[in-house]
Amino acid sequence: VFLLKEDEQYDSAVKTMIAHSTAFQQDLFLDCVQKVRNVEIAYKAVQFYVEQQPMLLNRLLQVLTAQIDHSRVVHQLRKLDHLPLATPYLKAVQKENLSAVNEALNELYVEDEDYDALRQSVDDYDNFDQIALAQKIEKHELLEFRRIAAYVYKKNKRYQKSVQLSKADKMYKDSIETVAESGDSSLAEEILRFFCECCDRECFCATLFTCYQHIKPDVAIELAWRNGYVDFVMPYVIQYTRHLHDKIQEIDKRTAPKETEKTEQDAATAAAVGMMYGDPAMSIAGGPALLTAGPGMMPDYQQQQYMAGMPPGGMPAGMPPGMPPGMPPQGVMPPMPQPGYGMPQPGMY
């Protein structure tokens, strides 16, 4: 064996030690098995250790961790019925979250009745057949394993089955938490009726508090009234009333007209009324007000008559009766029109 190693024939050296156990040396074997070219020799080494050196198996597996297929090793050890020997190795490689490794460890935890380790494994590593595990331990003689079964059902959203197991074991806290996580109103109503049948007022009140978002108020009040649980339903009623009041108040705030819009609308209405009746006092600042004659001022039509030589309110002086108004009297030249905007000045033709 020593010569084969020095000649770098590591495969032959390992095969020789496997075939002749008297030539086995632990350090020499581990040194050579890491350098073999044929990976199948590593699996033969695992079988050799199980048969000849079972207490050193984990050391061999630790050396070969980077070279071997862990799922195949699990299958090989399960076939040899020596899976518990490799428990430290399985825990070391469970971080890779392989299905075969997780199922093997969970199986070992169930056999050892180590429910704490099983719960930790279920929480940390989810790559395994969870429903199969739950079905396997849902009838276990230990309560904690049945609780783990209900927990696994809850993780897989089988809330009805989980609540059923929890109620059967009288683990009412677990069942209430499962109902709250499910968000199912019918399941919440079912467990409320169950607590009414069991005459468990405290759990009835705890369900109303924990599953508040999923319980219909008419169902809660009716069950409390029929079973004499009015005092236990009052915290729920008070909370629901407050929640409803806050919601309505928030809706009123969102739908109420804004103050600026109301002010602008009132101002526009006042301006429209002022323009209709010609009252400057009723028009808003900057709005169009109707023009009226001020004190000491003539109306426009009187001013025009005055400019034409007609006294206000009558015929011009010297005009014979019956002459149509607007005609100048005899001997009087009619007034020349004043040039306006756009008209040429006299003498500019």
Side-chain angles (χ1 to χ4, degrees):
V1 173
F2 176 77
L3 294 177
L4 290 174
K5 177 192 173 184
E6 292 298 325
D7 196 30
E8 297 183 355
Q9 299 183 25
Y10 302 110
D11 294 24
S12 300
V14 173
K15 288 180 180 179
T16 301
M17 283 186 280
I18 292 176
H20 305 279
S21 58
T22 55
F24 172 78
Q25 296 181 18
Q26 169 73 0
D27 296 336
L28 182 61
F29 189 93
L30 294 179
D31 187 23
C32 293
V33 78
Q34 298 180 66
K35 302 175 183 178
V36 294
R37 298 179 180 179
N38 189 358
V39 184
E40 294 296 327
I41 297 178
Y43 298 108
K44 292 181 179 180
V46 172
Q47 183 174 357
F48 170 75
Y49 264 70
V50 170
E51 296 173 354
Q52 301 294 330
Q53 304 291 335
M55 302 306 296
L56 300 177
L57 176 62
N58 284 285
R59 176 58 181 162
L60 173 67
L61 294 174
Q62 181 180 1
V63 171
L64 297 176
T65 298
Q67 303 176 13
I68 56 178
D69 182 3
H70 306 305
S71 299
R72 180 175 176 179
V73 172
V74 170
H75 177 71
Q76 183 178 4
L77 293 176
R78 194 189 297 275
K79 185 177 180 180
L80 296 172
D81 198 18
H82 285 80
L83 189 61
L85 288 176
T87 301
Y89 157 75
L90 295 176
K91 290 181 179 179
V93 300
Q94 192 180 15
K95 60 185 178 180
E96 299 184 14
N97 199 19
L98 299 175
S99 176
V101 175
N102 293 334
E103 291 178 358
L105 274 177
N106 293 338
E107 180 181 337
L108 293 176
Y109 294 147
V110 173
E111 292 178 359
D112 296 340
E113 297 184 351
D114 190 355
Y115 51 82
D116 290 331
L118 179 60
R119 180 66 177 262
Q120 187 68 31
S121 176
V122 169
D123 286 336
D124 295 342
Y125 308 102
D126 57 353
N127 186 16
F128 63 95
D129 192 349
Q130 301 188 18
I131 300 300
L133 175 63
Q135 292 175 347
K136 180 179 180 180
I137 63 177
E138 66 180 7
K139 297 181 180 180
H140 199 279
E141 59 182 3
L142 294 181
L143 173 63
E144 290 299 326
F145 282 98
R146 297 197 297 272
R147 290 187 65 190
I148 293 176
Y151 173 72
V152 173
Y153 279 125
K154 182 176 71 172
K155 286 187 63 176
N156 289 269
K157 301 186 184 303
R158 298 195 177 187
Y159 302 111
Q160 185 74 30
K161 184 67 175 178
S162 177
V163 171
Q164 182 181 351
L165 290 177
S166 298
K167 289 193 300 184
D169 292 328
K170 296 185 178 181
M171 303 302 298
Y172 297 144
K173 180 182 178 182
D174 294 346
S175 61
I176 293 173
E177 292 177 351
T178 302
V179 172
E181 183 176 334
S182 69
D184 190 351
S185 299
S186 61
L187 196 59
E189 180 179 347
E190 179 182 343
I191 197 172
L192 280 178
R193 296 185 185 277
F194 172 78
F195 289 139
C196 290
E197 295 174 359
C198 296
C199 299
D200 196 333
R201 301 179 177 181
E202 290 76 12
C203 288
F204 180 85
C205 185
T207 304
L208 292 176
F209 175 78
T210 308
C211 308
Y212 170 78
Q213 299 290 342
H214 316 302
I215 295 178
K216 299 177 182 178
D218 57 330
V219 174
I221 296 173
E222 179 186 356
L223 291 176
W225 173 63
R226 288 181 177 272
N227 296 275
Y229 294 171
V230 177
D231 291 341
F232 292 88
V233 81
M234 282 308 296
Y236 169 82
V237 173
I238 294 172
Q239 179 65 24
Y240 181 80
T241 305
R242 176 58 183 271
H243 180 73
L244 185 62
H245 170 74
D246 294 343
K247 184 180 292 186
I248 294 176
Q249 192 174 20
E250 182 67 22
I251 293 174
D252 289 342
K253 288 182 180 179
R254 292 183 180 181
T255 57
K258 296 182 180 180
E259 193 67 24
T260 55
E261 295 179 357
K262 185 177 181 181
T263 304
E264 293 177 358
Q265 185 176 2
D266 294 344
T269 303
V273 173
M275 293 174 62
M276 181 181 299
Y277 293 100
D279 187 358
M282 297 180 64
S283 62
I284 60 174
L290 296 178
L291 297 177
T292 57
M297 295 181 62
M298 291 184 181
D300 292 342
Y301 72 93
Q302 294 181 357
Q303 187 175 3
Q304 292 175 1
Q305 293 179 353
Y306 180 79
M307 291 295 296
M310 181 184 296
M315 301 292 291
M319 181 174 289
M323 183 173 289
M327 295 295 295
Q330 296 181 357
V332 178
M333 293 296 292
M336 296 296 293
Q338 298 294 326
Y341 178 78
M343 296 181 62
Q345 297 291 335
M348 297 182 62
Y349 292 96

